[in-house]
């Protein structure tokens, strides 16, 4: 069973998946549902840490495309991830899952600052750790933050919960004949320029030999199902 293969994993959730049916912002019912699924996986005995994007609040890249300075836009995006992280912490704690938010940008009044050793300690004490503010640097995406933290935490896999249920040869929203990969290599994701995960994240995961499982977090129970060896996903491995 998948859960037996993974002792510690990092779940990366796109910001958009926390909007629910809204066009913007945080839908608390959706965050509660995702938190429930995280707690179910956690109850299977898998240590879980999280990185959340910010596309539901602010998209650094889009703002940069419209003329905003890229570094400023990225910092605003990082602040968006802190809001999402605090919302997730709140949902987790309301269902009795202990969690800690650690930010890559120091804001001690709001949450802990990132510390690798402390984060590992939290996980050993059965806490879910939520890594906020990306890598703390502009020009890096939250996918890259996920690959970086997963490497630092010695995670067995990265689970990328997004809006599509796997990796396709072309955009399945645009093309009906798009074909899904059940399994694909890091090399192929990079050379085919399949944009479902950014290339810096894929390179980092490849260097550290951490498989990436791509699945739809919008589909209810998909995270738990995949852990139990069911469900719909694609896996990137070496
Ligand atoms: P252990 O000592 O390993 O049991 O971990 P702990 O996190 O419970 O200990 P600590 O006393 O450091 O933290 C108690 C609470 O304060 C937790 O909710 C932490 O998240 C929070 N906390 C710790 N450091 C900071 C910080 O720098 N800023 C903020 N805002 N909260 C913090």
């Amino acid at each position: 069973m998948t859960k037996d293969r993974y002792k510690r994993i990092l779940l990366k959730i796109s910001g958009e998946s926390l909007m629910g049916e809204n066009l913007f912002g945080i839908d608390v019912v959706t965050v509660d549902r995702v938190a429930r699924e995280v707690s179910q996986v956690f109850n299977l005995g898998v240590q879980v840490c999280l990185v959340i994007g910010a596309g539901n609040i602010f998209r650094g890249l889009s703002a940069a495309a419209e003329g905003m300075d890229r570094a400023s836009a990225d910092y605003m995006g990082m602040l968006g991830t802190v809001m999402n992280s605090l919302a997730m912490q709140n949902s987790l704690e309301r269902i009795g899952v202990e969690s800690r938010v650690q930010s890559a940008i120091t804001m001690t009044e709001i949450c802990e600052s990132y510390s690798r050793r402390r984060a590992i300690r939290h996980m050993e004490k059965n806490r879910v750790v939520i890594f906020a503010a990306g890598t703390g640097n502009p020009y890096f995406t939250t996918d890259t933050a996920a690959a970086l933290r997963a490497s630092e935490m010695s995670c067995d896999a990265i689970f990328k919960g997004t809006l599509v249920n796997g990796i396709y040869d072309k955009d399945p929203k645009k093309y009906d004949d798009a074909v899904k990969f059940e399994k694909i290599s890091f090399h192929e994701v990079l050379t085919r320029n399949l944009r479902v995960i950014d290339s810096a994240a894929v390179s980092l995961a490849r260097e550290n030999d951490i498989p990436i499982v791509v699945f739809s977090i919008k589909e209810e129970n998909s995270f738990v199902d995949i852990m139990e060896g069911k469900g719909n996903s694609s896996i990137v491995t070496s």
Side-chain angles (χ1 to χ4, degrees), residues 89 93 98-101 107-113 118 121-122 125 127:
Q89 178 178 42
E93 298 208 324
E98 256 204 275
S99 68
R100 297 287 184 266
V101 176
M107 41 182 95
T108 48
E109 286 79 0
I110 295 175
C111 59
E112 294 179 24
S113 297
R118 196 144 188 240
R121 186 100 184 94
H122 285 321
K125 287 191 171 177
R127 294 167 185 151

Side-chain angles (χ1 to χ4, degrees), residues 143-159:
D143 273 359
T144 304
L148 174 66
R149 295 296 183 238
S151 305
E152 291 180 280
M153 295 300 124
S154 308
C155 289
D156 302 311
I158 297 166
F159 280 70

